[in-house]
């Protein structure tokens, strides 16, 4: 037993080293050379700017660092960090969304994944009521993929639509331009509530000097066409003139110092550290992803004082407790929990209990945490006849309509309709966090291999050439590899199917931040539509 726990721990620590390696690559595209190139232009790299922008000694909660890996776009395999740094940090004590182009990645141009990451950060900001700071330094659309980034909803134009709408809601949109902002990209400066430009570093124009020359024959420098001086003194397109990045950062902080302090719409109790150390998570969660988990122990390692008030703990033993429900506090904030337990297969009783609990938490305006480790709802005639379809649908309805903040954390299998009932991406959780133990796909590799093999076998039989055993085995393995690869947190994070892959030891801090941010707006009244019961 003790050996198994030590083996689990060694396994997860090693997995998280892989996570660190990948994150490092994302954070330092082009290595030292790229940083030196920027320094020669008198510029600090984007991460140094973000560090200076947030309150000293506070943490920057960076989102989606693994976005853009292995995307295989024209001329590039990876877009490190998606080409844009996004995350939440405190500026003058207020949580603020920061979006900062990384000019080391193809001049900060927008690939489809860059846009997706930008849109996601804006969506979080709009939903939670966060002011936004844009550190703009971008060559605009990644031109070889213009059709994939320019014309559609959620493409380039949506960045500015979102700025306009957020500003109309009273959310400040501040741009610090520290590099090129050309063509459509220029709007990042002009759409801002207030924009700061840096002399001889920042440029903003609808057409750059080469385009102007081609279109009108006029020969003009970037500085004279749309530099900081022009936009501050002549066009009026910018509001603050600075002579260095450091001065510009201070100016942004100064502008936001006029904002009212944020309020949390929740009771907040005194924080208490968990009594179970975080190491217990590493030891408790089996290295084998499809092995059952003891989720109560996991919850003890993240809850204040390791305390949970469990809901219906004695209901339908063996069938009702494949979901554990209850209330915990995380850094003083009350949180309702719906957590997969054991193998995580959701039986009728568990679906009913979860639905009840979601409705109760909605009634008393307690935000919800979904801890997902479920391969799906129980199948078979007994389950179907008992109404697993309708009770699963009730759970999905309650998840969809619950008006309280909802956060999903994936710590195991995440397949099929359990992805819906446990508040997967389509159910728009305020935040979706993953871990190295998460596996998100329509079904497991092994199940998919059997389904697809049966289809393949039928095709061969119709053709009169039945499959040999060796062919079947090879086919199975190919499907298992494909499905398991696509379910892996690296694959999902690259495509922004989660907001961050967390190390186990980061979970508590991140959940506390995410719930706090999600509670900055008042919670609405519950309304659920038609349950079937
Ligand atoms: N689309 C695709 N690739 C682009 C790009 C774009 N819009 N803008 C820059 N790049 C690429 C460059 O080809 C270069 O690739 P490489 O490293 O493989 O050689 C890389 O990004 C860095 O560009 P570079 O010009 O060396 O960087 P810089 O810091 O000297 O200049 C800009 C940055 C943004 C001022 C300059 O690249 C530029 O003017 N780009 C065109 C901007 C534009 O007209 N965009 C219109 C979009 S709507």
């Amino acid at each position: 037993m003790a050996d198994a726990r030590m083996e689990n721990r060694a396994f997860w620590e090693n997995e998280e080293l892989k996570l660190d390696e990948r994150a490092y690559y994302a954070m330092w595209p082009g290595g030292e050379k790229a940083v030196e190139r920027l320094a020669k232009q008198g510029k600090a790299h984007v991460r140094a700017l973000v560090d200076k922008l947030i309150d000293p000694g506070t943490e920057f909660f960076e989102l989606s660092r693994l976005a853009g890996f292995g995307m295989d776009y024209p001329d590039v395999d990876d877009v490190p960090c998606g080409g844009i740094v996004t995350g939440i940090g405190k500026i003058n004590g207020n949580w603020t969304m920061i979006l900062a182009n990384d000019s080391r990645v193809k001049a900060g141009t927008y690939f489809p994944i860059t846009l997706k990451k930008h849109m996601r950060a804006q969506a979080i900001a709009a939903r939670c009521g966060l002011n936004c700071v844009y550190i703009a330094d971008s060559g605009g659309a990644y031109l070889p993929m213009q059709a994939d980034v320019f014309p559609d909803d959620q493409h380039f134009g949506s960045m500015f639509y979102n700025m306009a709408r957020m500003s109309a809601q009273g959310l400040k949109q501040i741009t610090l331009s520290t590099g090129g902002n050309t063509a459509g990209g220029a709007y990042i400066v002009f759409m801002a509530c207030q924009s700061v430009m840096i002399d001889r570093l920042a440029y903003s124009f609808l057409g750059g000097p080469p385009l102007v020359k081609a279109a009108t024959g006029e020969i003009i420098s970037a500085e004279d066409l749309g530099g900081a001086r022009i936009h501050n003194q002549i066009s009026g397109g910018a509001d603050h003139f600075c002579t260095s990045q450091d001065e510009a950062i201070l100016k942004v902080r100064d502008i936001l110092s006029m904002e009212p302090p944020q309020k949390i719409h929740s009771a907040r109790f005194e924080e208490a550290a968990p009594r179970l150390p975080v190491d217990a998570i590493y030891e408790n969660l089996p290295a084998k992803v499809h092995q059952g988990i003891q989720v109560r122990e996991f919850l003890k390692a993240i809850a204040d004082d390791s305390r949970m008030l469990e809901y219906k703990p004695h209901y339908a033993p063996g069938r009702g407790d494949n979901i554990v429900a209850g209330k915990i506090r995380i850094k003083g904030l009350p949180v309702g929990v719906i957590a997969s337990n054991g193998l995580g297969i959701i039986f009728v009783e568990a679906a009913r209990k979860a639905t009840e609990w979601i409705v109760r938490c909605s009634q008393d305006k307690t935000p919800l945490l979904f801890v997902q480790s479920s391969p799906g709802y129980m199948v078979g005639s007994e389950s179907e006849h008992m109404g697993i379809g309708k009770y699963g649908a009730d759970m999905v309805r309650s998840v969809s309509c619950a008006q309280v903040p909802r956060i999903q954390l994936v710590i195991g299998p995440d397949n099929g309709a359990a992805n819906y009932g446990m508040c997967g991406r389509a159910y728009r959780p305020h935040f979706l966090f993953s871990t190295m133990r998460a596996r998100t796909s329509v079904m497991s590799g092994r199940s998919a291999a059997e389904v697809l093999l049966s289809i393949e076998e039928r095709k061969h039989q119709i053709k009169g050439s039945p499959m040999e055993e060796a062919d079947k085995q090879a086919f199975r393995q190919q499907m298992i590899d494909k499905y398991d690869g696509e379910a892996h947190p690296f694959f999902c994070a690259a495509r922004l199917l989660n907001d961050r892959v967390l190390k186990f030891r980061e979970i508590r801090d991140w959940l506390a931040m995410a719930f706090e941010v999600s509670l900055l707006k008042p919670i609405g009244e519950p309304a659920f539509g038609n349950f079937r019961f």
Side-chain angles (χ1 to χ4, degrees):
M1 184 67 180
D3 281 356
R5 288 180 75 91
M6 287 306 112
E7 277 170 27
N8 289 340
R9 183 175 170 157
F11 182 84
W12 292 121
E13 282 175 350
N14 191 46
E15 287 293 282
E16 291 185 353
L17 282 180
K18 294 182 201 163
L19 179 60
D20 280 341
E21 270 170 33
R22 200 159 271 222
Y24 185 84
Y25 171 64
M27 291 164 79
W28 302 107
E32 275 301 311
K33 262 195 192 153
V35 176
E36 282 162 16
R37 184 173 184 252
L38 282 173
K40 280 190 193 135
Q41 296 165 17
K43 286 161 79 166
H45 58 84
V46 65
R47 293 178 182 281
L49 297 179
V50 172
D51 276 354
K52 285 185 183 164
L53 183 60
I54 61 174
D55 294 349
T58 60
E59 187 176 348
F60 178 55
F61 289 89
E62 187 176 344
L63 301 166
S64 314
R65 280 193 309 196
L66 308 188
F69 280 91
M71 302 307 280
D72 204 13
Y73 291 141
D75 302 331
V76 290
D77 296 327
D78 297 325
V79 185
C81 210
I84 186 167
V85 175
T86 63
I88 300 171
K90 280 199 170 168
I91 300 184
N92 305 314
N94 281 343
W95 293 113
T96 307
M97 181 61 79
I98 298 169
L99 304 91
N101 302 122
D102 193 339
S103 64
R104 295 170 296 178
V105 183
K106 288 277 183 191
T109 50
Y110 278 77
F111 294 80
I113 195 67
T114 321
L115 271 176
K116 194 172 181 188
K117 192 166 164 182
H118 188 119
M119 294 297 138
R120 175 68 188 145
Q122 286 188 316
I124 292 173
R127 188 175 200 186
C128 299
L130 303 178
N131 296 323
C132 295
V133 174
Y134 303 87
I135 302 184
D137 189 349
S138 167
Y142 180 65
L143 289 172
M145 299 191 75
Q146 71 81 22
D148 303 298
V149 294
F150 175 63
D152 206 354
D153 181 21
Q154 300 302 306
H155 281 187
F156 219 81
S158 293
M159 295 197 280
F160 311 121
Y161 172 86
N162 292 339
M163 285 176 90
R165 303 282 294 201
M166 277 193 271
S167 138
Q169 287 170 27
L171 301 177
K172 295 294 179 307
Q173 309 292 301
I174 311 296
T175 295
L176 185 174
S177 169
T178 185
N181 303 280
T182 310
Y187 281 96
I188 199 93
V189 172
F190 305 134
M191 296 290 295
C193 303
Q194 297 201 43
S195 56
V196 181
M197 290 186 80
I198 306 169
D199 194 25
R200 291 171 203 287
L201 282 188
Y203 305 99
S204 198
F205 24 62
L206 301 190
L211 183 70
V212 170
K213 186 175 172 210
T216 68
E218 184 185 6
I219 296 175
I220 188 164
S221 70
E223 185 63 33
D224 291 339
L225 184 62
R229 209 169 282 277
I230 296 294
H231 288 310
N232 274 280
Q233 294 179 359
I234 300 176
S235 81
D239 311 292
H240 302 277
F241 177 86
C242 292
T243 54
S244 69
Q245 284 181 322
D246 283 351
E247 188 190 342
I249 294 275
L250 287 178
K251 182 57 73 181
V252 172
R253 288 184 53 82
D254 206 20
I255 293 167
L256 288 171
S257 70
M258 297 294 168
E259 291 300 296
Q262 290 166 333
K263 276 200 295 254
I264 301 176
H265 294 271
S266 165
R268 183 158 216 171
F269 299 86
E270 200 176 323
E271 173 182 339
R275 280 180 284 119
L276 200 64
V278 74
D279 288 350
I281 302 180
Y282 289 79
E283 294 170 11
N284 164 40
L285 290 178
K288 287 202 175 67
V289 170
H290 291 281
Q291 204 169 312
I293 63 169
Q294 303 299 324
V295 85
R296 291 181 183 90
E297 189 175 338
F298 171 83
L299 292 169
K300 280 182 187 163
I302 63 167
D304 282 16
D305 201 28
S306 297
R307 186 168 153 250
M308 173 166 68
L309 183 62
E310 193 171 334
Y311 177 68
K312 287 198 158 117
H314 306 297
Y315 175 56
R319 299 165 66 98
D321 74 347
N322 25 74
I323 287 183
V324 167
K327 265 191 199 173
I328 60 173
R329 289 179 191 156
I330 297 182
K331 296 203 179 179
L333 292 173
V335 169
V337 175
I338 302 281
S340 310
N341 189 35
L343 289 173
I345 299 164
I346 306 174
F347 286 71
V348 164
E349 293 84 348
R352 293 182 64 175
K353 180 170 79 174
T355 306
E356 281 180 15
W357 191 234
I358 293 165
V359 172
R360 276 160 176 66
C361 288
S362 297
Q363 295 288 355
D364 63 17
K365 302 198 172 174
T366 304
L368 284 164
L369 170 65
F370 294 83
V371 180
Q372 163 68 330
S373 180
S374 171
Y377 287 86
M378 186 61 193
V379 296
S381 60
E382 185 195 349
S383 196
E384 295 287 355
H385 298 178
M386 281 177 75
I388 190 68
K390 77 172 184 172
Y391 290 118
D394 277 350
M395 187 172 160
V396 171
R397 178 184 302 282
S398 62
V399 165
S400 306
C401 296
Q403 83 295 4
V404 295
R406 295 159 305 139
I407 292 176
Q408 194 201 38
L409 170 71
V410 188
I411 60 166
D414 176 24
N415 306 124
N419 170 280
Y420 312 160
M422 293 296 285
C423 203
R425 195 55 131 183
Y427 294 85
R428 304 189 191 175
H430 285 58
F431 290 89
L432 195 167
F433 300 125
S434 191
T435 59
M436 289 303 284
R437 198 171 184 275
R439 295 293 182 275
T440 300
S441 60
V442 65
M443 53 179 92
S444 73
R446 266 185 306 163
S447 305
E450 293 310 320
V451 173
L452 290 163
L453 179 62
S454 70
I455 296 170
E456 195 66 13
E457 279 185 294
R458 229 181 13 248
K459 279 195 220 155
H460 277 75
Q461 263 154 11
I462 291 167
K463 278 198 243 155
S465 59
M467 289 174 91
E468 302 285 336
E469 197 45 50
D471 296 338
K472 286 188 202 170
Q473 202 40 44
F475 183 89
R476 257 190 211 108
Q477 197 53 52
Q478 207 183 339
M479 290 306 135
I480 289 174
D481 292 347
K482 176 178 157 59
Y483 270 72
D484 288 352
E486 290 179 359
H488 193 276
F490 285 171
F491 184 95
C492 295
R495 285 152 188 79
L496 227 83
L497 305 181
N498 53 58
D499 294 317
R500 167 115 173 180
V501 182
L502 295 176
K503 293 183 185 180
F504 293 147
R505 62 183 74 259
E506 294 172 330
I507 288 174
R508 186 172 144 88
D509 286 348
W510 271 79
L511 288 179
M513 176 283 295
F515 277 115
E516 195 174 312
V517 164
S518 305
L519 287 161
L520 293 175
K521 276 192 177 173
I523 298 173
E525 297 306 316
F528 288 97
N530 301 311
F531 282 115
R532 284 182 185 275
F533 299 115

